[in-house]
Amino acid sequence: MILAKPAAIRMSLMIGLWFLLLTPTVAQSIDKEAAPPLYSEPHRPQVHFSPKESWMNDPNGMVYYNGTYHLFYQYYPDSTVWGPMHWGHATSTNLVQWTHRPIALYPDSLGYIFSGSAVVDKQNTSGFGQNGQAPLVAIFTHHDPAGEKAGRNDYQVQSLAYSLDSGRTWTKYAGNPVLKNPGLKDFRDPKVMWYEAGRKWIMAVATYSQILFYSSPDLKNWTKESEFGKDLGAHGGVWECPDLLSFELNGKKEWVLLVNLNPGGPNGGSATQYFVGDFDGKTFTASHSDTRWLDYGPDEYAGVTWSNTGDRKIFLGWMSNWLYGQVVPTARWRSAMTVPRDLSLKQVGNEVYVASQPSKELDVIVSKPLVYENLQVQNRLDLKTKVKEVVAPCRIEMSLDNLASYSLVLSNDAGEELVVGFDKDSNQFYIDRSRAGDTSFHQAFATRSVAPRIATASSMTMTLVIDVSSVELFADGGLSVMTGIFFPSTPYTNQRLQATGNVVIKKLSISRLKSIWKK
Ligand code: FRU
């Protein structure tokens, strides 16, 4: 908070009143006495980040600094549905186990604090640094709800905040906004990177159907460089939360632009698409015209990467969907993040794709695996009879020497089941949650979602990260990825493999994952 204290209190009272009048949120009261202990509630993810309580959406401002990963996130502390946005904050030294920190950014007279990014300004280009200390600078959207209500088209602008104590506390820049609205209703989610070749900052900002690129020498003065995407990719909804990344592949620099889209995802609602191409300091040019998705499942959105991680590109998404995110059946909090994922480029034929794999840091919570080789599955194999009972959270890895239709079915004694697998005829992976538990809260939830197989090899691999209420599927080294959430009435305690005919699983490895929360 940058305002002096009395002014700050006056301001938050005014804003509070204004929110009460303008925001149609339904505050849900939680009986804290009767509630189960924190992080032991039904459906509470055990190996994924979720806030202690209240509403969370996009990951924001992810930056690595001095051995600490910072995760900020869209947060509304007063309810379990979306409302006036703050930046919640958590830190981790291993990307897996998180410590909650005080809220980093509060709404102010310019509006709510929408999504954005953070950078380490190593050369103090912004001048925010003091005594030789490099500042961390957050670049975010100020969203003015009054302007929105009045039907204006300039209510989203880009602003700065900086930290001089390694990300612990943040001061908003007195000269906000640093980038005014050019007359676009949707103008938000700035993602900033240092472009070394041009020694300047590059900002990607999402507008309704395009990404705009701006450049700056100092994070404060921005010049428009180019527009991208009007006639490319998926346009079933609004473009949001971009991210521009560079990789080395076979000695050549390749660029990737992530563009989140809501709605219009491949399985309905929100999803993350990407473009592979070139960036010359001004313009991004895609090298393909087909639409590609970083995660085909229904429940990965607003995903972007950490800054200041060198050659590593570590991605995190919101593990939900705007279609039903605000009505999922959790009481104290709503929604979680995906596991952190390392992005890389993989060539398939003449094309270059982005692959995602769970980050290796997950190993800190992985137990010694139970490993089975050459497992014959004739139609059905109950794992309980084969292996000790392994319940979520767990990681399951499977490899096959050939392509075959097979699935893993998790079920409980209430007859609810989640099916995750591959269908050889359609060449698709799938997550079928149509009978996985409670689907009553939204008519679009009881789905069987599919993802195409991108790889062309004749052997296949599948890694599943299964939590109490989510599954993330990484096939063929992360070329086909899907995330889905589900809400069984009791935990799944039975697991079986299913196959069409006789299928040999060359290797099956099952590991328990230890909860990341101290309870
Ligand atoms: C994406 C998004 C962003 C926006 C934020 C608001 O989920 O709509 O475009 O900044 O959420 O909470």
Side-chain angles (χ1 to χ4, degrees):
M1 200 78 162
I2 52 161
L3 301 166
K5 271 222 169 101
I9 293 166
R10 228 181 13 253
M11 182 58 70
S12 47
L13 284 176
M14 268 162 54
I15 292 171
L17 195 65
W18 177 33
F19 290 163
L20 277 179
L21 294 173
L22 293 183
T23 320
T25 49
V26 191
Q28 300 198 343
S29 60
I30 299 154
D31 180 352
K32 288 194 179 145
E33 296 289 296
L38 257 182
Y39 288 98
S40 299
E41 307 93 335
H43 308 310
R44 177 70 97 164
Q46 295 300 312
V47 299
H48 292 83
F49 178 81
S50 62
K52 272 189 191 159
E53 51 192 16
S54 306
W55 170 262
M56 174 181 81
N57 54 290
D58 313 0
N60 293 151
M62 295 188 292
V63 60
Y64 178 64
Y65 187 62
N66 274 352
T68 297
Y69 293 93
H70 290 267
L71 167 61
F72 301 90
Y73 51 88
Q74 289 286 277
Y75 188 48
Y76 183 34
D78 297 338
S79 178
T80 48
V81 293
W82 189 90
M85 285 287 112
H86 302 52
W87 274 25
H89 186 198
T91 55
S92 170
T93 52
N94 64 11
L95 281 170
V96 176
Q97 289 148 322
W98 293 95
T99 304
H100 295 292
R101 303 286 176 196
I103 289 174
L105 295 172
Y106 285 78
D108 57 37
S109 60
L110 293 176
Y112 303 168
I113 313 298
F114 269 22
S115 289
S117 50
V119 295
V120 183
D121 182 9
K122 291 178 186 155
Q123 298 160 61
N124 195 21
T125 61
S126 61
F128 291 138
Q130 277 169 19
N131 309 325
Q133 195 189 339
L136 299 188
V137 181
I139 309 95
F140 60 89
T141 299
H142 258 126
H143 169 99
D144 170 17
E148 180 183 26
K149 197 149 190 259
R152 298 172 65 106
N153 61 2
D154 60 355
Y155 52 84
Q156 294 184 340
V157 294
Q158 317 316 326
S159 291
L160 304 180
Y162 58 93
S163 171
L164 299 176
D165 56 4
S166 303
R168 216 166 55 79
T169 60
W170 292 78
T171 304
K172 291 191 191 118
Y173 174 44
N176 282 338
V178 290
L179 180 55
K180 296 213 172 80
N181 190 303
L184 296 162
K185 262 195 162 56
D186 297 290
F187 183 61
R188 60 178 175 270
D189 309 339
K191 181 74 162 73
V192 173
M193 61 160 302
W194 176 251
Y195 181 69
E196 180 58 31
R199 304 198 59 72
K200 59 184 179 181
W201 298 100
I202 296 292
M203 178 199 290
V205 192
T207 67
Y208 183 81
S209 58
Q210 303 191 81
I211 301 304
L212 306 188
F213 290 101
Y214 290 81
S215 71
S216 171
D218 58 4
L219 295 166
K220 291 173 175 164
N221 296 286
W222 293 93
T223 306
K224 186 173 166 187
E225 297 288 358
S226 63
E227 302 178 348
F228 169 80
K230 215 175 181 75
D231 305 314
L232 267 183
H235 284 277
V238 183
W239 282 23
E240 299 182 317
C241 301
D243 195 359
L244 178 66
L245 308 166
S246 68
F247 295 85
E248 288 276 319
L249 183 70
N250 305 327
K252 194 176 154 247
K253 197 160 196 149
E254 300 272 357
W255 290 83
V256 167
L257 180 65
L258 308 182
V259 177
N260 287 277
L261 170 71
N262 175 53
N267 282 288
S270 24
T272 307
Q273 63 181 319
Y274 71 87
F275 302 88
V276 180
D278 189 39
F279 183 72
D280 63 5
K282 288 177 174 296
T283 308
F284 180 84
T285 313
S287 60
H288 56 98
S289 54
D290 55 322
T291 300
R292 298 177 184 179
W293 301 95
L294 201 77
D295 185 315
Y296 283 83
D299 295 307
E300 181 284 303
Y301 191 57
V304 288
T305 60
W306 259 274
S307 74
N308 201 37
T309 53
D311 289 341
R312 262 185 97 183
K313 308 293 169 201
I314 310 168
F315 172 95
L316 195 78
W318 178 45
M319 197 157 61
S320 193
N321 189 314
W322 280 115
L323 266 181
Y324 44 72
Q326 299 190 81
V327 292
V328 295
T330 58
R332 184 182 257 154
W333 83 102
R334 274 218 177 89
S335 81
M337 298 300 181
T338 64
V339 288
R341 302 169 181 183
D342 271 62
L343 303 185
S344 64
L345 294 186
K346 284 201 158 87
Q347 192 152 349
V348 181
N350 290 326
E351 292 296 322
V352 175
Y353 292 90
V354 180
S356 321
Q357 295 260 257
S359 297
K360 61 177 186 323
E361 282 82 352
L362 213 62
D363 286 349
V364 302
I365 54 165
V366 174
S367 70
K368 201 165 163 281
L370 297 162
V371 179
Y372 296 86
E373 279 172 19
N374 297 318
L375 210 54
Q376 301 263 352
V377 186
Q378 206 155 15
N379 300 319
R380 173 185 173 123
L381 177 76
D382 280 313
L383 285 176
K384 237 188 195 170
T385 59
K386 265 278 183 207
V387 305
K388 284 207 298 267
E389 183 176 272
V390 178
V391 291
C394 61
R395 181 173 76 187
I396 299 188
E397 293 168 300
M398 292 179 275
S399 63
L400 274 74
D401 269 344
N402 56 332
L403 301 187
S405 295
Y406 71 107
S407 60
L408 174 76
V409 185
L410 306 180
S411 62
N412 59 19
D413 294 338
E416 296 162 347
E417 58 180 41
L418 174 82
V419 192
V420 182
F422 177 68
D423 176 55
K424 189 180 166 195
D425 291 344
S426 59
N427 202 34
Q428 285 175 332
F429 297 92
Y430 60 91
I431 296 176
D432 186 345
R433 64 176 176 201
S434 54
R435 291 180 296 134
D438 187 0
T439 60
S440 64
F441 50 89
H442 195 279
Q443 86 269 7
F445 193 79
T447 50
R448 178 183 184 277
S449 309
V450 297
R453 181 166 195 250
I454 308 281
T456 51
S458 57
S459 58
M460 64 192 303
T461 63
M462 205 195 274
T463 297
L464 303 174
V465 177
I466 304 171
D467 204 335
V468 173
S469 55
S470 66
V471 59
E472 290 160 277
L473 179 165
F474 303 88
D476 301 312
L479 277 170
S480 298
V481 176
M482 301 187 80
T483 303
I485 57 174
F486 45 80
F487 301 95
S489 56
T490 60
Y492 300 132
T493 46
N494 311 310
Q495 296 139 346
R496 65 178 192 271
L497 288 167
Q498 267 180 192
T500 309
N502 197 356
V503 168
V504 179
I505 311 279
K506 192 179 164 215
K507 190 167 170 192
L508 167 76
S509 141
I510 307 181
S511 325
R512 291 229 52 177
L513 299 176
K514 222 170 70 204
S515 176
I516 63 173
W517 303 111
K518 289 196 194 87
K519 290 182 285 185

